[in-house]
Amino acid sequence: MVYTRSNREINLISKSCQIVADTLEMLSEFIVPGMSVLDLDKKAENYIISCGARPAFKGYMGFPSTLCISIDDAVVHGIPSNEVLKEGQIVGIDCGAELDGYYGDHARTFPVGKISDEKLNLMNITQASLYKAIEKAIPGNYVGDIGHAVQSYVEPFGYSVVRELVGHGIGENLHEDPQIPNYGKPNAGYKLHAGMCIAIEPMINLGSKEIYTSKDGWTILTSDGYPSAHFEHTIAIKEDGPHILSKVSNG
């Protein structure tokens, strides 16, 4: 079922999204060589709780942590561990929060110190594809238009789109209908309408699109060992177009 949210509900979703955006912004200064991944997770958990919210990922389907922290060839769903960040890595951090019964979801990929041009380009193109997709999230368009915007932008650079993992609706549940793939055909799939709240999240691989799940049962890795980047915004589709809810606050 695809929900149509009232302005009141969109405002509640926006508050949760604000918390996750501010959480990742707060963490950005700590994403440096020598930083413990577990410490990043603890900082995020403490911050979310200090905002009166609840870490949405912790306990979700058994996930043990506040953040998904995915390094280099980890696409998504990395479990924070005792690992220490190293110069030259890229780190995808996905964060969710629930406040007053409504959810927010947001992800960014960060460089650790100085990174290669190859990784930097992957990050920049992945992030740009997210905004290309958001531009297509308008009433009367289709889910396929969003996915096509990502796919048609990244593939000419030689990158590949992960197929098995998708964006999603969001609201009173972390994951709701419809699914939002990062590939597809224009004018195909569910028709978008005002009041929808969705999380768009390109997951783009430097090499092939093939992935596998690690032995921990959570972490998704690229099959060829090449790095992957991940960016995500939660948006509300309104009559005048898309509104990004997961923006960093000014204060």
Side-chain angles (χ1 to χ4, degrees):
M1 178 177 178
V2 177
Y3 293 95
T4 300
R5 301 295 178 184
S6 65
N7 285 333
R8 182 190 72 84
E9 288 181 299
I10 291 171
N11 286 337
L12 288 166
I13 295 166
S14 181
K15 287 179 180 178
S16 295
C17 289
Q18 185 74 78
I19 291 168
V20 291
D22 290 344
T23 299
L24 293 193
E25 183 66 16
M26 177 273 296
L27 287 179
S28 62
E29 67 177 285
F30 300 106
I31 301 169
V32 294
M35 185 66 186
S36 158
V37 174
L38 270 179
D39 284 349
L40 290 175
D41 191 65
K42 186 48 109 177
K43 287 178 185 296
E45 181 172 352
N46 290 342
Y47 182 82
I48 291 168
I49 291 170
S50 77
C51 294
R54 177 181 68 82
F57 295 172
K58 194 167 188 178
Y60 181 76
M61 297 177 68
F63 190 77
S65 306
T66 292
L67 300 175
C68 296
I69 301 183
S70 307
I71 299 172
D72 279 346
D73 63 333
V75 182
V76 286
H77 302 164
I79 299 174
S81 68
N82 289 314
E83 186 172 358
V84 169
L85 297 180
K86 299 179 182 66
E87 181 92 17
Q89 292 176 326
I90 58 172
V91 184
I93 302 184
D94 197 351
C95 182
E98 178 264 316
L99 178 69
D100 299 328
Y102 289 84
Y103 286 82
D105 197 0
H106 177 46
R108 290 165 59 182
T109 298
F110 299 87
V112 182
K114 181 171 174 53
I115 62 173
S116 67
D117 289 343
E118 190 175 55
K119 288 181 177 178
L120 181 61
N121 290 338
L122 174 66
M123 283 176 49
N124 288 341
I125 296 302
T126 302
Q127 186 174 35
S129 77
L130 170 58
Y131 290 100
K132 298 278 186 185
I134 290 171
E135 288 175 5
K136 297 297 183 181
I138 60 175
N141 271 0
Y142 295 82
V143 165
D145 294 310
I146 295 173
H148 180 74
V150 174
Q151 183 180 14
S152 62
Y153 184 69
V154 305
E155 287 184 345
F157 292 96
Y159 303 146
S160 57
V161 176
V162 174
R163 299 297 205 269
E164 296 88 340
L165 304 162
V166 297
H168 50 91
I170 187 169
E172 291 168 280
N173 299 285
L174 183 59
H175 295 115
E176 298 180 349
D177 292 332
Q179 293 190 345
I180 311 291
N182 295 300
Y183 63 97
K185 297 178 180 178
N187 305 311
Y190 189 86
K191 190 173 184 178
L192 305 175
H193 59 264
M196 290 177 66
C197 289
I198 58 176
I200 303 175
E201 48 179 322
M203 290 154 274
I204 307 302
N205 295 349
L206 182 66
S208 81
K209 68 180 185 296
E210 307 304 326
I211 58 172
Y212 70 99
T213 304
S214 78
K215 286 184 278 188
D216 66 20
W218 281 101
T219 309
I220 305 295
L221 298 154
T222 61
S223 293
D224 57 15
Y226 283 102
S228 183
H230 177 213
F231 287 87
E232 175 183 24
H233 271 310
T234 296
I235 69 164
I237 300 174
K238 296 191 175 183
E239 293 291 353
D240 62 350
H243 290 244
I244 298 174
L245 304 183
S246 45
K247 281 184 172 177
V248 175
S249 66
N250 297 323

